[in-house]
Amino acid sequence: MNYKNFPMVPRVVFGRGSFNQINDILAPKRTSIYAPFIFLLDNVFKNNPWLTSRIKLSYDDRIIFVSSKEEPKTSQVDELVEDIILKSKERPSGIIGIGGGSLLDMAKAVALLITNEGDAQQYQGWDLIKNPGIYHVGIPTISGTGAEVSRTTILTGPKLKLGINSDYTPFDQVILDPELTAGVPKQQWFYTGMDCYVHCVESLNGTYLNEFSKTYGEKSFDLCKEIFLDDNLSEEEAQNKLMMASWHGGMSIAYSQVGVAHAMSYGLSFLLGVKHGIGNCLVFDHLEEFYPEGVKIFKQMKEKHGIELPTGICKDLSDDDFDTMIRVALSLEPLWENAVGKNWKQTITPEKLRGIYKKI
Ligand code: NAD
Ligand code: ZN
């Protein structure tokens, strides 16, 4: 048995208002006055001086606004990397991603592709990255994905939606400032929060479970129940707790895996561009068979917050479309092995997945 030697985020700041320390944290990491810091910010923060005015740009530093309407694509990463290399006098001092999972993943991927030749799609998979990326910092502004702790950056490429999983992927620094999540719209708060909840359920009910994953997963699971089912948290407490739930949920799957909802949600996302959080919800809603208790609680959370999931998403799809989604979902072998066990291929057939997709 070979145990995984798991890299972790070496530095993290937690606290309301901790984003104010950004300039002090970055300053010692500047490699030269010709080596800029590149800030990748979610478009939603354009014209938001409450956030942007706290970033002090020096020398050639710049802010690039990035849309998260669609999830990160390998081509988008390649374009950003090219633009950054072309416009920087020297290799940048660092990449700082500010936003949700989309922006965090974009920042990780860009940092890696600056030092690894070729296109992002070449590195989708496990441990294909050869050189450490440049210094990269993650600052989440919405909680749930665990992208702030994970060793992957999930990208949609021409053939697959698949992460760049590597020891060089995790951030060198994370700033957890729950205040930054204040403006998140309710629906989005629920969907991204449920990503965290589903991470816990899939980790805690997987065959890969071990005490490392279990302790993180249980803590995160309890926090999610407190946040999404109880009535006694202030808004600030709920923000603080969800940020830590996301962290713990991410740590839990780091040493295990996700499961059925994620595998099938990748299929939806690849074919239809359904985003990760809502995609997981759409699938998870029909997974009683795999996660009876988890799905029951999920339905309670949905009801409590008046969330109505869209229906009929797959109703007009062709056979080819279903085949594409099934192919993408089945390609994620470790997820199925975690969910169902070593002999998963005996029960997880294309017909079985088609049946579930048809309900969505
Ligand atoms: P997101 O980053 O796509 O953001 C969702 C929406 O929230 C966007 O419209 C964004 O503009 C908005 N938003 C973000 N912060 C806001 C704020 N403070 N105020 C107002 N609006 C705000 O959503 P997400 O659910 O955080 O991330 C999904 C992405 O994360 C997917 O691409 C998925 O593949 C990826 N992901 C990565 C990992 C990983 O380990 N790397 C894990 C899970 C998911
Ligand atoms: Zn997820």
Side-chain angles (χ1 to χ4, degrees), residues 145 195 199 258 262 276 280:
T145 65
D195 189 21
H199 290 160
V258 283
H262 275 76
H276 188 81
N280 282 343

